[in-house]
Amino acid sequence: MRKVSIGLTNPKSPANVGAVLRAAGCYQAGQIFYSGTRYDYAAKFHTDTKNASQNVPLQQSPCLLQAKPAGAKLICVDLVEGAVPLPEFEHPEQAYYVFGPEDGTIEQGIIDAADAVVYVPTKGCMNLAASVNVLLYDRLAKDLNRNQGDDLIKASRDTNNKVKVR
């Protein structure tokens, strides 16, 4: 699934960015871009608990549109009127998912440039990291070629977990 990139609109919470890094590592996203300066002030707090940033580049970009990887479809994920509910959305093979900030929304210019705008149909809004996790899980769940089974479990679980279904 390295055909996935993530854009974060001016994230403010180091905990949320750390959790987004962890999600990107779990779901094998290729890279994360973020706009704004709020995260830079908070980056000194080490919130990347699985050190995903060693494998998933995280970089600041003055413009998330300019950071869009070549060939990727721009998919905005936010509570925006007229957006498609995530359960009805078909993910493109190569995608650049841009998420709104914890305390705001994606700029109208980015929404206007999007190939699609989707939302998670919840009552109220989720936090940034939860939204990224749900979106990436939905992409994985809809992928018929996904890796699954005991080999994946053995390679993914914590060293303290050796439990089996009998």
Side-chain angles (χ1 to χ4, degrees):
M1 190 192 288
R2 292 278 180 192
K3 296 178 181 179
V4 171
S5 299
I6 297 169
L8 306 175
T9 305
N10 198 19
K12 70 173 185 173
S13 163
N16 262 336
V17 175
V20 169
L21 276 162
R22 185 171 183 166
C26 287
Y27 294 104
Q28 301 178 359
Q31 56 200 346
I32 301 171
F33 300 98
Y34 66 94
S35 66
T37 58
R38 295 189 300 182
Y39 175 69
D40 292 335
Y41 296 122
K44 63 185 173 190
F45 302 101
H46 183 71
T47 58
D48 179 12
T49 59
K50 291 288 188 178
N51 295 318
S53 59
Q54 293 176 1
N55 298 313
V56 181
L58 171 69
Q59 65 184 86
Q60 202 275 344
S61 176
C63 176
L64 291 178
L65 282 177
Q66 292 176 355
K68 182 175 85 76
K73 298 288 186 184
L74 172 60
I75 313 300
C76 292
V77 184
D78 209 345
L79 288 172
V80 176
E81 291 180 31
V84 175
L86 185 58
E88 297 175 15
F89 182 66
E90 186 176 325
H91 296 271
E93 183 177 344
Q94 188 174 353
Y96 177 46
Y97 297 105
V98 173
F99 294 82
E102 298 92 333
D103 58 352
T105 191
I106 300 171
E107 297 172 23
Q108 186 68 53
I110 296 175
I111 296 288
D112 292 344
D115 294 290
V117 180
V118 301
Y119 74 100
V120 179
T122 58
K123 179 156 175 51
C125 59
M126 297 185 299
N127 76 18
L128 176 61
S131 297
V132 171
N133 273 281
V134 167
L135 182 284
L136 293 177
Y137 174 77
D138 183 77
R139 181 182 174 91
L140 174 72
K142 292 174 180 173
D143 181 359
L144 300 177
N145 298 314
R146 67 184 169 272
N147 187 6
Q148 57 190 2
D150 286 347
D151 289 339
L152 176 63
I153 293 168
K154 289 175 188 175
S156 300
R157 66 185 173 187
D158 187 276
T159 57
N160 297 321
N161 178 355
K162 300 297 181 206
V163 177
K164 299 178 183 179
V165 175
R166 296 180 193 235

